[in-house]
Amino acid sequence: MTTNPWVWLAAILTLCIYTYLYKDNPFYKFAEHLFTGLAVGFTIALTWHNAVQPLIIQGIFRAHDWVLLVPLGLGLLFLARFVPKVGYLMLIPIAISLGASSGIGLPRSLEAHIVKQMQGTLLTPAMLQHPFDPYNGLVVGLLVLAGVVCTISYFFFSREHTGALRVSSRIGIWFVMIGFGASFGYTVMARLSLFISRMQFLMTDWIHIIK
Amino acid sequence: MKFLIALSKIDRRVVYLLLALAVVVPMIVSFNVRFHVDRSTRDLFEAVDRIPPGGQPLMLVFDYDPQIMPELDPMATAILRHCFARGIRVVGVTTGAQGAALGERAMARAAAEHGKRIGEDYCYFGYKLFLSMIYFGENARRALPVDHYGRPFDSLPMMRGIRNYDDIPLVIDLAGSSILNSWIVYMGARYHVRLGAGVTAVMAPDFYQFLQTGQLAGQLSGMKGAAEYEQLVVERGYAPAKGLASRAMNAISASHLLLIALIVMGNVGYFAARRAKPKNPQGGA
């Protein structure tokens, strides 16, 4: 076993968390609260040293970049919520943030999530060159096209699902189910990866069973 | 029939114990499970491999925290080993506060292995706001005025000549959240940055669509993606041995087999219990 006190601390906290598998208990609660507190404290300290100090304090007092007073003032308005009489002032930075992020993000988001994805759904003559290519082959292209059309038809509620719409919506729900299955499979792998990593730590760094 | 019904009522603590055994035993009793390298991993590897050594740097973004470190840290290590062994310069940064220490550790460890020097072969800017990273597209110097250790941008030799994303041939975001979406929207669509990704397995299905459209140059998906990248790095002679993710693949395979068996047993038990239920002669429930 290791003699490193930090490894011991990490191992004990790991075991405290895993005691929850039996049932909720004070050891689990202690480790959970400790982690939350540390994470918040760490984030505050890091934000101060990496954002507030270099961008605001040094910018204003050393570089005399007075324009920075504007975002600083707007940021401080968030604190107005603690004074009920002037609490409404908080709405100003919220409105500016929302407006600016929508203005910057919407056109790009449409391009990245709608236009490019629609282009990706289209069949092109180039697909005939490598029909079995897993990204841009004809077979995958047809499958993606069928999947998109059928899935959208499942969510088309302006007409009763009868006739051709019934067939396509039934196929669409199969595509949706396969998608959910793939997501669930990946989620299982993700959770197991976290568990495996902790086990690797306990058996390698702590009790040295594995070299 | 009773035995079959009992299969669907196994105590959850027994399941936990079986799972623990399925994970621990393959770690002790070593065996090699072969696995296929996915095209998305190969594409990312090739995109990194095409960067000329000693030229413009690759940007590696450590957008993950300790909770998901087991999946993304091996990716970071494998990519850094690849870059440093090939002589590719690396700029490290994170837009998540908790990723700052993890990124620093990964970079320092890989740099020490290859004798790389900070400022010349790699730079680490630590935690920066996402807005700063958008602004990097306009003016790199003003967006990242100092590195993680307080050194000014201009004092870092390898950063000379870096004006904006035009001088970064590839950005790889190792993400455990939807921040990758923002990188695709802002940096990808607005500044036409060539992006690659390393994501947790949970997120992987949501980002495959960006591979087909070419918005991502490649993607590593979960621990398997990391193991695949490690395999490529060893195959091409950039590292002598595989890393943590490859060693975890045995445990992943064994635990997956156990889970498949449990799911099948649970379903068999469920249908057996349904058949054993006395049928209502009137056809009701």
Side-chain angles (χ1 to χ4, degrees), chain A residues 65-140:
Chain A
D65 193 353
W66 303 114
V67 179
L68 289 173
L69 287 170
V70 178
L72 176 66
L74 286 169
L76 288 173
L77 286 180
F78 273 109
L79 302 177
R81 66 169 301 187
F82 296 114
V83 186
K85 275 188 179 174
V86 291
Y88 65 91
L89 290 174
M90 187 185 69
L91 297 174
I92 297 170
I94 289 178
I96 290 172
S97 302
L98 279 175
S101 57
S102 301
I104 297 168
L106 268 177
R108 303 302 168 193
S109 193
L110 281 173
E111 187 184 336
H113 290 120
I114 307 289
V115 177
K116 285 271 185 189
Q117 294 305 316
M118 280 173 69
Q119 284 174 351
T121 312
L122 296 176
L123 297 174
T124 60
M127 287 177 166
L128 289 166
Q129 288 171 359
H130 304 284
F132 297 106
D133 183 290
Y135 292 161
N136 295 310
L138 184 66
V139 176
V140 168

Side-chain angles (χ1 to χ4, degrees), chain B residues 122-243:
Chain B
Y122 76 100
C123 286
Y124 186 59
F125 285 89
Y127 170 53
K128 299 293 172 198
L129 301 177
F130 185 73
L131 283 171
S132 295
M133 296 318 295
I134 296 179
Y135 191 49
F136 189 96
E138 304 291 333
N139 187 331
R141 189 173 285 100
R142 288 199 71 184
L144 307 178
V146 290
D147 75 355
H148 188 58
Y149 310 98
R151 281 174 288 212
F153 185 97
D154 289 323
S155 70
L156 303 164
M158 68 166 266
M159 295 309 286
R160 283 180 203 139
I162 306 293
R163 299 158 298 153
N164 51 40
Y165 285 118
D166 291 344
D167 301 314
I168 304 287
L170 180 67
V171 175
I172 299 179
D173 188 25
L174 302 177
S177 68
S178 58
I179 192 78
L180 177 57
N181 248 323
S182 304
W183 277 90
I184 291 169
V185 169
Y186 291 101
M187 284 55 154
R190 187 175 178 192
Y191 293 111
H192 307 290
V193 174
R194 189 164 162 74
L195 279 172
V199 294
T200 59
V202 175
M203 291 166 58
D206 295 340
F207 288 94
Y208 274 121
Q209 55 185 329
F210 297 108
L211 291 169
Q212 194 220 354
T213 55
Q215 289 164 279
L216 289 178
Q219 174 182 302
L220 307 182
S221 308
M223 201 174 250
K224 183 169 180 287
E228 290 169 359
Y229 203 97
E230 285 175 358
Q231 183 162 308
L232 290 173
V233 169
V234 172
E235 271 176 17
R236 298 285 180 93
Y238 292 124
K242 293 176 186 174

Side-chain angles (χ1 to χ4, degrees), chain A residues 20-23 35 39 42-43 46-47 50-51 54-55 58 65 101 104-105 108-109 111-113 116-117 120-121 127 133-136 140-141 144 182-197 199-200 203 209-210, chain B residues 12-13 16 19-20 23-24 27-28 39-40 43 67-68 70-71 97-98 100-101 125 127-129 132 142 145-146 148 181 184-186 189-190 201-202 204-205 208-213 215 221 223-224 244 247-248 251-252 255-256 259:
Chain A
Y20 184 80
L21 293 176
Y22 184 70
K23 64 177 186 179
F35 175 73
F42 186 72
T43 304
L46 219 60
T47 305
N50 287 274
L55 296 179
Q58 288 185 15
D65 193 353
S101 57
I104 297 168
R108 303 302 168 193
S109 193
E111 187 184 336
H113 290 120
K116 285 271 185 189
Q117 294 305 316
T121 312
M127 287 177 166
D133 183 290
Y135 292 161
N136 295 310
V140 168
V144 168
S183 284
F184 177 66
Y186 264 117
T187 304
V188 168
M189 185 168 83
R191 301 301 175 238
L192 280 171
S193 302
L194 304 185
F195 179 56
I196 289 166
S197 172
M199 284 291 140
Q200 275 182 334
M203 296 175 67
I209 285 182
I210 306 169
Chain B
R12 66 188 172 90
R13 281 164 289 202
Y16 293 148
L19 197 58
V23 166
V24 171
M27 287 182 189
I28 299 169
R39 177 167 157 185
S40 58
D43 284 351
Q67 295 96 310
I68 47 164
E71 288 187 274
Q98 290 187 46
F125 285 89
Y127 170 53
K128 299 293 172 198
L129 301 177
S132 295
R142 288 199 71 184
V146 290
H148 188 58
N181 248 323
I184 291 169
V185 169
Y186 291 101
R190 187 175 178 192
V202 175
Y208 274 121
Q209 55 185 329
F210 297 108
L211 291 169
Q212 194 220 354
T213 55
Q215 289 164 279
S221 308
M223 201 174 250
K224 183 169 180 287
L244 273 176
R247 290 205 289 274
I252 283 189
S255 52
H256 278 192
L259 285 176

